[in-house]
Amino acid sequence: KAVVSTQSTGNNRVETMQAMNESSVVVSQLLRVFVPLEPRYAAKYFSNVETGLENFPSSLSSIAAASRVSLLPQFLFKLCVDILPLGSREEIIRWCSYLMAGGEEPNPFFKNLVADLKQNNSSNNNNKGVCGKVYKNGEWAYTCNQCKQTPTATICNDCFKNGDHKGHDVSFTKIAGGAFCDCGVSESMKESGFCSLHKGYSTQSIEQPINVPEQFSLISEAVFRGIF
């Protein structure tokens, strides 16, 4: 058994070395093709987008998308260490920017990405489980005696307008600074008193995930592995 285990380990090492040698050859081919060109061509290739280059080697075109991404850290490392001028920070940043932007112009790409994430985050905040608005000192709030479950439970103006308290015993309360709106908090209010935007943690997740493009995430991770 010990002999078989040793032989198996040896075979695995040989296969690993062969795979490393093969990837090194491919990376060298990629460098020869892309270094003389603008970074956007390499970025399109690693993002599995048509490069638009004539006479592009078919052997490189046939590499699957996942394998292309796996080659990117080695490609970028060799590019930064062996090819780009020593200390050329601007050129390294330019290559990384194009790679993460998938071949698009980096400035508008990142501007649009940030805008999308802000909109996503804003949408999540508008549909979170509880309101949690912190009152200013002396601000007025609503108290609904039918809906509250604790003596101090209050509802802010927006949540009252978006809720249904018709026919309820409602009063105004002057709030000391630091208190917050209880809409969506089941321990403080009945669910029937929640507004249309805040349905509590029992029916909505606390935080919706931010949707980042999958390809951007894969390429960005590979870029950072290549330069750090």
Side-chain angles (χ1 to χ4, degrees):
K1 291 183 179 180
V3 173
V4 172
S5 177
T6 303
Q7 185 176 1
S8 176
T9 302
N11 291 337
N12 289 338
R13 287 176 179 174
V14 171
E15 291 174 359
T16 301
M17 291 298 295
Q18 288 176 340
M20 290 176 62
N21 290 335
E22 290 174 2
S23 66
S24 181
V25 170
V26 174
V27 167
S28 296
Q29 291 177 319
L30 291 170
L31 288 168
R32 283 196 296 271
V33 170
F34 289 123
V35 168
L37 304 171
E38 283 292 309
R40 66 175 179 273
Y41 292 107
K44 288 181 178 180
Y45 174 80
F46 285 109
S47 295
N48 204 36
V49 177
E50 181 62 43
T51 61
L53 295 174
E54 295 182 2
N55 302 319
F56 191 77
S58 59
S59 59
L60 298 179
S61 296
S62 62
I63 297 176
S67 298
R68 294 184 187 187
V69 174
S70 68
L71 292 170
L72 181 53
Q74 188 179 354
F75 173 90
L76 192 56
F77 178 80
K78 292 182 72 66
L79 177 74
C80 295
V81 173
D82 298 336
I83 297 175
L84 294 181
L86 186 63
S88 180
R89 184 187 306 173
E90 292 79 10
E91 193 64 13
I92 293 173
I93 291 174
R94 192 166 78 96
W95 272 85
C96 292
S97 298
Y98 270 102
L99 287 166
M100 288 191 290
E104 298 181 31
E105 286 298 319
N107 286 343
F109 173 84
F110 288 112
K111 184 178 180 179
N112 292 335
L113 179 63
V114 170
D116 289 344
L117 293 180
K118 284 183 177 179
Q119 184 177 2
N120 182 290
N121 187 53
S122 176
S123 176
N124 289 340
N125 286 338
N126 289 335
N127 293 281
K128 60 185 180 180
V130 301
C131 175
K133 174 187 175 181
V134 179
Y135 298 115
K136 297 177 182 177
N137 188 33
E139 187 173 355
W140 290 87
Y142 292 89
T143 297
C144 180
N145 291 316
Q146 270 89 345
C147 296
K148 69 179 184 180
Q149 302 216 92
T150 62
T152 58
T154 59
I155 314 167
C156 73
N157 185 56
D158 288 340
C159 290
F160 183 79
K161 288 181 177 179
N162 287 305
D164 183 10
H165 301 276
K166 191 178 295 184
H168 291 188
D169 178 15
V170 177
S171 61
F172 281 116
T173 303
K174 195 171 186 178
I175 305 295
F180 57 87
C181 175
D182 292 287
C183 184
V185 181
S186 57
E187 292 83 3
S188 301
M189 290 186 61
K190 297 176 183 177
E191 290 188 15
S192 59
F194 294 169
C195 77
S196 59
L197 296 177
H198 308 112
K199 296 302 183 183
Y201 292 137
S202 60
T203 57
Q204 274 186 270
S205 60
I206 296 176
E207 192 74 28
Q208 297 293 328
I210 295 177
N211 295 318
V212 177
E214 181 181 3
Q215 191 65 20
F216 173 78
S217 300
L218 292 172
I219 294 292
S220 298
E221 180 183 353
V223 166
F224 284 111
R225 284 172 53 202
I227 61 178
F228 291 111

